[in-house]
Amino acid sequence: MRTWTGCHETMSDLLQSILEAAGRQHSEDGDTHDFLKALIQQTSARLKLHHLALWTQRGGTAQILTQLGSRVRSPDDGPLICSTPAGQVHLATTADVETERRLLTASALVDDLRLVLDVTEGGASVDDDVLLHLTDIFADLQRRRLLEAHLQQSDSERRVNQLLTQLHSSLDQSVVANSLATDGAAVLGCIRASVVRRSGRSWNVVATTGVSQPDHRSDASRQIRSWVEQAATEHGVADHGVADHGADGGSDRHPVVRPLEPQQNWQKAGWAVVLEFPEHAIPGQGTIASEQCLNTVLQHATLALANCDARTRATAVGRVRSGWQRLTGGRWGIVLTALAVLVTALLIVPATLRIEVYGALAPTERSFVFAPDDGTIAEVFVEDGTRTEAGRTLLCVLQNEDLQVQLESIAGQLAAANARLAAIDAMRGTRIPGADNNRLLSAEQAELKEEVVSLTKQADIVRERLQLLNVVSRIDGRVYGDRLVQFLTQRPVTRGQFLFEVANPASGWQLELKVPEADSRHVLRAMEQQDAPLTVSFALETSPESVHQTQLRSLASSVDLDEQGQLSTKAFAPVSDSDLHQERPGAGVIAYIHCGQRPVGYVWFRRIIEFVQRHTWL
């Protein structure tokens, strides 16, 4: 056994130090799947190698597994690698530098597959036994890699077979589509899988990963349909990738769109699938299924959906044909003509589209009073209907013992600081000798002055907070609320809690209407088409016999959830009628927003038409 220059380690100590260093690097890097990489780096560093390469060799073919260093190996070294004997170190001279030694040794992996260690010495020579042991260690790690790959492949094949069995276990289209969308996404390794069905010239999302009944109005469903329509328009015969650019212009998914048709013909396809893989993902790498696995799953999915379509046609065609024959009989001619005339009239005759909304009557000038701080309401000075003046009418008084205690504590600290300052001034007046003593007194005096300034500011802040506990009205008007004294007196409140509503009826009135989400599009369209404000006719629930008219002033830009749990958009309309001066805020309103002329059939049957539009599969 040779020794190394400047090194007194034994072979076992050297191997142990290399393994320990590789273990530390492996744990620091956080890569739980590649200890071999850390071991190669530590081996090259500890043995001071210029180059280290691992080859896999089977028969007369050799391939580079990995390499590290300044001497790049090429496939031309294949004959040399194949001739390397196992269990011993082979010396090969390098072509570029005669002083460097190139050592090779081999170890068996599986059957006729071997691992060859190829190193080029650097500043120190390498012991042959160390190379042989390292080769065996590298071979053991590579065998573990091969075993893990074999187990992953076996598990993947088992999951694919389970998916294929599940696809053919039912003749229900929704069951097959959901199996492909949910279980297929897990097997193929995609982020989301969506099954889309052709309906005339359009496509509808039938199922997507994690969602059995997708919302056709959602942005995700629209994006999926656009991918399929683009692929169908371009008549792709293989996968059709489209980059999904989000709102920020970035791309985080790579969709693969394929028709579920035996010949991959978009013109004949009635179904399609959209597979969204991570960015830059390639089938066959990492957790992504291989291209062969992808084709197998889609072929069986195509066959399963074709069987479902055949069963549906067999059970429905006869009923549709007999119904059509009865409908086109001779005695139905007059009825069909009358229906045609009625339908034509419904499509031609115009009528005013009025959107029914509900809301409340509210003064234009309103103020909501909230608790300025935590505390207990000591006394309430107003009742329902009490007149108020801005900045003068006291609404209630809150008590906060913590603030009072805090103010007294600050006052005590301030008094102590002032007393100490006076004592320091007195001590300086006595002219006590000693330069050090004078410096200490000056430093303490400066510190106390800063403390007095800080305590004074704190006391002012606490006094302001105590002053705010006297809650006053900010506007002229009236207080509205039921049994305010009984509900609020001696009641603990938190900062920001609602206390009073103060409104000024003399400032005028306005309607606060709630337009349902399904009807807001009609109002928006009418506002865009008409230059003048929309007309609003309304009646108060307190006087339903009187119908008033006004104009829509504005429509909110957001949709909110109202008290009934329904989505609606706020609309505002001013009220100028003088008859409303006796009304009270919050009175219920039934209003109709005039949204222009539409066919009378649409006006009469709008609810039915919109219901069908929202729930149809066409």
Side-chain angles (χ1 to χ4, degrees):
M1 178 184 299
R2 293 190 301 270
T3 59
W4 304 279
T5 305
C7 178
H8 301 284
E9 293 177 309
T10 64
M11 181 188 69
S12 60
D13 293 336
L14 178 61
L15 291 174
Q16 184 66 25
S17 63
I18 292 175
L19 292 174
E20 290 177 355
R24 289 192 299 269
Q25 179 182 346
H26 179 249
S27 61
E28 292 173 357
D29 294 341
D31 190 351
T32 59
H33 299 286
D34 202 351
F35 177 76
L36 179 62
K37 178 181 178 181
L39 184 60
I40 291 175
Q41 294 177 353
Q42 292 299 325
T43 300
S44 177
R46 284 305 189 93
L47 299 182
K48 300 179 180 179
L49 301 176
H50 281 176
H51 185 81
L52 187 151
L54 289 180
W55 298 73
T56 57
Q57 179 254 324
R58 187 192 301 269
T61 304
Q63 293 182 349
I64 296 177
L65 182 64
T66 182
Q67 58 179 329
L68 176 68
S70 59
R71 303 289 185 267
V72 179
R73 301 305 184 207
S74 65
D76 297 335
D77 294 333
L80 176 63
I81 301 302
C82 296
S83 62
T84 300
Q88 56 182 305
V89 178
H90 176 66
L91 176 62
T93 59
T94 57
D96 48 358
V97 181
E98 296 181 355
T99 59
E100 295 180 347
R101 294 201 318 156
R102 181 178 179 181
L103 304 177
L104 298 98
T105 180
S107 179
L109 288 176
V110 179
D111 296 334
D112 59 340
L113 181 65
R114 298 196 313 164
L115 179 75
V116 179
L117 174 62
D118 180 3
V119 301
T120 301
E121 291 181 344
S125 59
V126 181
D127 186 83
D128 295 349
D129 292 337
V130 173
L131 288 182
L132 293 175
H133 282 80
L134 286 174
T135 304
D136 292 336
I137 295 174
F138 290 143
D140 183 68
L141 293 176
Q142 183 62 17
R143 277 192 292 269
R144 295 185 182 183
R145 279 186 170 184
L146 296 175
L147 179 59
E148 289 178 359
H150 176 71
L151 293 176
Q152 290 178 358
Q153 182 178 2
S154 300
D155 181 68
S156 177
E157 291 176 356
R158 178 185 59 81
R159 295 170 62 190
V160 169
N161 292 332
Q162 289 179 351
L163 175 61
L164 299 183
T165 303
Q166 189 173 353
L167 289 175
H168 293 290
S169 62
S170 175
L171 291 176
D172 189 344
Q173 296 174 348
S174 61
V175 174
V176 176
N178 279 288
S179 297
L180 180 59
T182 302
D183 299 329
V187 171
L188 298 176
C190 55
I191 299 175
R192 181 173 62 186
S194 304
V195 181
V196 187
R197 184 179 183 181
R198 186 194 295 272
S199 178
R201 296 183 178 179
S202 61
W203 296 82
N204 291 324
V205 181
V206 177
T208 187
T209 303
V211 181
S212 59
Q213 295 181 351
D215 184 6
H216 301 292
R217 299 181 298 172
S218 65
D219 294 338
S221 296
R222 294 175 182 174
Q223 180 64 78
I224 293 171
R225 290 199 301 269
S226 67
W227 285 334
V228 177
E229 290 170 359
Q230 181 180 352
T233 302
E234 297 178 1
H235 303 291
V237 295
D239 57 48
H240 184 83
V242 183
D244 178 14
H245 295 282
D248 58 350
S251 175
D252 58 355
R253 293 188 179 185
H254 171 68
V256 173
V257 185
R258 287 193 178 182
L260 296 179
E261 201 275 333
Q263 283 75 34
Q264 298 284 294
N265 190 336
W266 278 101
Q267 295 180 351
K268 298 180 180 180
W271 296 84
V273 64
V274 179
L275 306 175
E276 297 177 49
F277 293 98
E279 184 183 9
H280 306 309
I282 301 175
Q285 293 186 0
T287 59
I288 309 303
S290 64
E291 185 70 22
Q292 181 180 1
C293 174
L294 176 63
N295 293 332
T296 301
V297 171
L298 295 186
Q299 288 174 3
H300 284 267
T302 301
L303 180 59
L305 291 174
N307 294 335
C308 294
D309 291 340
R311 177 178 178 273
T312 302
R313 289 193 298 268
T315 57
V317 169
R319 297 177 184 177
V320 174
R321 182 178 302 171
S322 61
W324 176 254
Q325 290 176 352
R326 290 195 302 268
L327 185 62
T328 56
R331 61 179 182 176
W332 289 93
I334 299 176
V335 177
L336 291 177
T337 303
L339 288 176
V341 174
L342 178 60
V343 170
T344 302
L346 293 176
L347 296 177
I348 295 177
V349 177
T352 301
L353 176 61
R354 301 193 309 167
I355 302 301
E356 184 181 24
V357 295
Y358 296 86
L361 186 68
T364 304
E365 185 178 7
R366 303 169 67 187
S367 175
F368 298 96
V369 182
F370 304 92
D373 211 327
D374 298 340
T376 302
I377 300 179
E379 189 173 2
V380 180
F381 300 98
V382 293
E383 295 181 349
D384 184 23
T386 302
R387 292 185 176 274
T388 63
E389 295 182 12
R392 300 182 61 182
T393 302
L394 184 63
L395 302 178
C396 67
V397 175
L398 276 69
Q399 289 182 347
N400 190 321
E401 297 180 358
D402 294 336
L403 289 179
Q404 195 66 38
V405 171
Q406 185 178 356
L407 181 61
E408 293 176 2
S409 175
I410 294 174
Q413 297 177 19
L414 186 60
N418 287 326
R420 180 58 182 165
L421 283 174
I424 291 175
D425 291 336
M427 293 173 65
R428 285 190 167 185
T430 59
R431 297 182 180 179
I432 298 176
D436 294 337
N437 195 21
N438 289 333
R439 283 195 297 270
L440 291 175
L441 291 176
S442 299
E444 184 178 2
Q445 184 181 31
E447 182 180 355
L448 288 172
K449 287 182 179 181
E450 292 295 331
E451 184 179 359
V452 168
V453 173
S454 175
L455 291 173
T456 302
K457 292 181 179 179
Q458 295 180 34
D460 293 339
I461 293 174
V462 175
R463 291 191 188 95
E464 291 178 2
R465 292 180 63 184
L466 288 172
Q467 183 64 30
L468 291 176
L469 297 180
N470 299 321
V471 182
V472 297
S473 175
R474 297 194 299 270
I475 63 172
D476 297 332
R478 291 179 180 270
V479 177
Y480 293 95
D482 185 27
R483 294 183 293 177
L484 296 175
V485 176
Q486 292 84 346
F487 278 127
L488 296 179
T489 303
Q490 299 302 320
R491 179 176 180 176
V493 295
T494 58
R495 184 187 182 113
Q497 183 175 342
F498 173 78
L499 300 179
F500 304 94
E501 177 183 359
V502 181
N504 185 10
S507 63
W509 298 87
Q510 67 177 359
L511 302 180
E512 294 183 358
L513 307 174
K514 297 177 181 179
V515 182
E517 181 190 21
D519 298 330
S520 59
R521 61 191 181 100
H522 299 295
V523 180
L524 289 171
R525 182 184 301 173
M527 293 175 65
E528 293 175 356
Q529 293 176 352
Q530 298 184 19
D531 296 332
L534 302 182
T535 301
V536 178
S537 56
F538 68 96
L540 301 177
E541 293 184 351
T542 56
S543 55
E545 70 279 0
S546 301
V547 178
H548 310 270
Q549 281 195 348
T550 183
Q551 293 181 336
L552 189 66
R553 182 180 65 191
S554 62
L555 185 69
S557 301
S558 61
V559 179
D560 298 320
L561 198 65
D562 58 18
E563 298 79 6
Q564 288 75 31
Q566 303 295 326
L567 294 174
S568 61
T569 303
K570 285 285 188 69
F572 303 91
V575 178
S576 58
D577 289 2
S578 59
D579 298 337
L580 302 180
H581 64 278
Q582 295 296 336
E583 296 294 336
R584 297 176 62 83
V589 173
I590 303 175
Y592 293 88
I593 302 177
H594 299 246
C595 297
Q597 299 293 314
R598 301 292 293 274
V600 65
Y602 183 81
V603 174
W604 288 355
F605 306 103
R606 178 172 63 89
R607 297 297 183 188
I608 299 176
I609 295 173
E610 292 177 350
F611 177 86
V612 174
Q613 289 175 344
R614 287 194 297 267
H615 296 83
T616 184
W617 289 95
L618 299 178

